[in-house]
Amino acid sequence: VLYTASNPKIEKDIMAAFRKAHPDITAKAVNMSTGPITERAIAEKANPQADVIWMINNIALEQLKDAGALEPYEPKGTKIDDAFKEEDGFWNGHNATIMAMAINTKLLKEKKLPMPTDWVDLVKPVYKGQITIAAATKSGTGLSILSTMHDVFGWNFIDNLHQNIFQYNSSGSAAARQVGGGETIIGLSYDTAILHQVQAVPGVEMVIGRMSPNVIEGAGLLAGAPNPAQGKVFLDWLFSEAGMKVFAPHVGIGAQAGYGNVDLSKVHMWKRRRPLDANDFKRQWASKFEK
């Protein structure tokens, strides 16, 4: 049993490829947003109901590690870059994700609004009611973007951004889909969700901005897993050349060189200046902005 916060397309392709490679293993995926699925895995650690957790961000993976919900395992035969390996072996990253802006340029022109080029543009009053983003309490994407904004600019910036928010979502990809569907002009989301809309909907563009909030997304073996042998087989496959090839069309930056869809020359990865206590940040954010 696999817990994942993957979007449905990635889950479908990964699961189909794994089942084809290992037809002897019956694999079932349980898909939820990062926050709820992380909380579930921690709540179940005395009696685990799953074997592997994958496609969740490094913030959540560190929460799982600190809670004792993961056990170390080094996938066999992997060629991923060392930057994607957790130092104690509790988890490995399969891709890096940058956060960006999805822009519906058709609606932007209709409303005669300026094209945002930087994250600081988003607090301008002209964008009031035009921006969607996932809630920090419900989505790893929302947590990553908003906690990075706090790290860079502080709570005052987030309060000003809040004045322009049309809706907080429970899914990290929802904001990109809303832009593609013409519900809002600006959606703050992750690279692959935005790229899907760019490829599918004429007039949708991705703006990276002058710095890039980012996360590493990865996988690990749940401590006390009921089927650890099969879980290890999945992790071996996931981090193999075969697994990376399945990931390649869907991810911004692959853990193995040559796999990804984002032009790295345009990316300015933000490195946090301050340690992040995710639970404390979520509590503070909720007390200020969640109704």
Side-chain angles (χ1 to χ4, degrees):
V1 176
L2 309 158
Y3 283 173
T4 182
S6 169
N7 71 47
K9 177 62 175 170
I10 297 176
E11 179 198 326
K12 179 181 177 182
D13 288 358
I14 289 286
M15 295 300 293
F18 175 70
R19 288 169 178 143
K20 184 176 180 180
H22 295 277
D24 56 314
I25 296 176
T26 301
K28 174 188 175 184
V30 177
N31 195 316
M32 299 171 68
S33 288
T34 301
I37 210 159
T38 302
E39 293 166 4
R40 178 170 175 172
I42 291 173
E44 293 174 349
K45 67 178 185 178
N47 183 28
Q49 301 300 300
D51 305 290
V52 168
I53 193 161
W54 67 280
M55 205 69 188
I56 64 168
N57 64 50
N58 55 299
I59 299 170
L61 286 163
E62 285 298 308
Q63 286 181 282
L64 288 163
K65 175 188 172 183
D66 292 343
L70 295 178
E71 66 176 63
Y73 179 68
E74 181 66 33
K76 298 174 183 175
T78 180
K79 295 180 180 178
I80 64 172
D81 189 275
D82 287 345
F84 288 83
K85 297 178 181 179
E86 196 272 326
E87 59 184 1
D88 297 318
F90 281 87
W91 56 269
N92 287 279
H94 37 61
N95 67 284
T97 295
I98 63 163
M99 309 301 162
M101 310 170 212
I103 311 292
N104 189 311
T105 60
K106 181 181 178 182
L107 292 178
L108 197 77
K109 290 174 184 176
E110 287 178 4
K111 292 183 179 288
K112 298 180 180 179
L113 295 175
M115 185 75 167
T117 60
D118 196 330
W119 293 93
V120 297
D121 292 337
L122 299 178
V123 300
K124 294 177 179 178
V126 293
Y127 297 121
K128 185 174 179 64
Q130 306 298 337
I131 302 172
T132 52
I133 184 176
T137 50
K138 302 209 169 56
S139 161
T141 300
L143 175 62
S144 175
I145 295 173
L146 292 164
S147 65
T148 299
M149 296 301 104
H150 176 258
D151 193 46
V152 180
F153 303 117
W155 282 114
N156 187 56
F157 180 89
I158 298 177
D159 182 59
N160 287 329
L161 177 65
H162 176 73
Q163 308 308 312
N164 290 343
I165 297 297
F166 169 71
Q167 186 177 67
Y168 290 108
N169 301 311
S170 59
S171 163
S173 60
R177 294 196 300 272
Q178 286 176 304
V179 169
E183 295 178 54
T184 52
I185 294 176
I186 302 170
L188 309 184
S189 189
Y190 58 92
D191 49 19
T192 52
I194 297 172
L195 287 169
H196 285 157
Q197 298 303 315
V198 169
Q199 293 159 3
V201 184
V204 174
E205 294 184 15
M206 180 167 76
V207 173
I208 292 176
R210 293 183 182 149
M211 67 90 184
S212 302
N214 59 90
V215 293
I216 290 177
E217 291 172 302
L221 185 69
L222 290 165
N227 304 288
Q230 290 84 353
K232 291 174 181 178
V233 171
F234 178 81
L235 290 170
D236 290 347
W237 176 86
L238 190 70
F239 289 100
S240 70
E241 189 86 17
M244 290 293 104
K245 284 181 179 178
V246 181
F247 264 120
H250 304 291
V251 301
I253 303 166
Q256 189 170 327
Y259 297 98
N261 294 283
V262 172
D263 182 354
L264 294 181
S265 68
K266 297 179 180 178
V267 175
H268 309 281
M269 305 282 273
W270 178 259
K271 293 185 178 180
R272 292 184 184 273
R273 303 292 178 86
R274 301 158 190 83
L276 173 65
D277 183 328
N279 287 329
D280 181 61
F281 179 84
K282 287 190 282 188
R283 281 193 294 270
Q284 290 193 62
W285 183 84
S287 70
K288 294 175 185 289
F289 308 115
E290 199 161 58
K291 303 300 180 183

